[in-house]
Amino acid sequence: MSVPVVSVVGWANSGKTTFLEKLIAELKSRGYNVGIIKHHHDNVELDRPGKDTYRHAQAGADAVIIASPQKIGVVRKTSDEWPLEKLVELLTDMDIVITEGYKRAATAKLEIYRQGVSPGPAADDKHLLAVISDGDLNRDVPVYNWNDARGVADLLETKLLRC
């Protein structure tokens, strides 16, 4: 993967999406193009009943693309989960790709650890860059405050974006 990829991991309801909103805004304010890949364990519907693209998919189309001057969207049936590397290939024009999930992927990791929510570490591997937490932790990597998206963006610039 030529685009730098970092996975934001953590237990369910730990606040991954909430922190990502802050981090994306910070990276965008610095001029970066940010792509996101959200991992989901269940079947996910991206369109609503009654819409043309939904009707096309329901009629049997294997892939549906909706395109406008401002956005494109792709809904494609698969027989198995695509590997992360294949998904990243769809975002090669980004400066960084951030995943929400993919704990087991061989990517750099940011772990969200929330007091009273996280029963223990979610990522215990050699790829862990940092932990983002709402409490004091003793870990072998830097620990950032839950509200420090700026500090985490600085770390990503140092480790992944300006290599």
Side-chain angles (χ1 to χ4, degrees):
M1 289 183 275
S2 60
V3 178
V5 178
V6 63
S7 296
V8 174
V9 301
W11 296 95
N13 300 312
S14 61
K16 295 180 296 291
T17 301
T18 301
F19 184 76
L20 272 170
E21 288 174 317
K22 297 180 233 177
L23 182 58
I24 293 165
E26 180 62 32
L27 290 168
K28 289 301 297 175
S29 76
R30 297 176 187 207
Y32 292 108
N33 292 321
V34 179
I36 299 290
I37 299 173
K38 164 73 171 137
H39 186 258
H40 202 282
H41 293 284
D42 300 315
N43 184 31
V44 63
E45 286 296 333
L46 300 177
D47 211 346
R48 298 187 320 255
K51 300 305 270 180
D52 292 350
T53 52
Y54 182 86
R55 292 171 60 194
H56 298 150
Q58 292 302 304
D62 295 303
V64 178
I65 295 176
I66 186 167
S68 76
Q70 297 80 25
K71 295 179 185 178
I72 61 169
V74 178
V75 179
R76 182 175 176 158
K77 293 178 184 176
T78 62
S79 60
D80 201 6
E81 187 170 351
W82 280 18
L84 180 57
E85 295 79 16
K86 190 171 181 177
L87 296 171
V88 171
E89 288 174 10
L90 300 173
L91 301 173
T92 57
D93 58 336
M94 297 292 112
D95 295 314
I96 186 168
V97 172
I98 303 172
T99 76
E100 183 175 340
Y102 293 96
K103 286 182 216 175
R104 292 173 186 82
T107 60
K109 305 259 185 335
L110 298 172
E111 179 182 335
I112 306 294
Y113 184 91
R114 297 294 299 274
Q115 303 290 328
V117 175
S118 305
D124 186 22
D125 65 39
K126 64 184 178 185
H127 302 291
L128 187 62
L129 283 181
V131 175
I132 295 97
S133 180
D134 58 353
D136 294 326
L137 292 178
N138 186 11
R139 298 288 291 271
D140 292 335
V141 295
V143 177
Y144 290 86
N145 180 277
W146 171 251
N147 294 308
D148 191 8
R150 176 176 236 168
V152 175
D154 290 343
L155 175 73
L156 294 179
E157 280 187 327
T158 301
K159 298 287 186 177
L160 298 176
L161 290 164
R162 296 203 176 142
C163 299

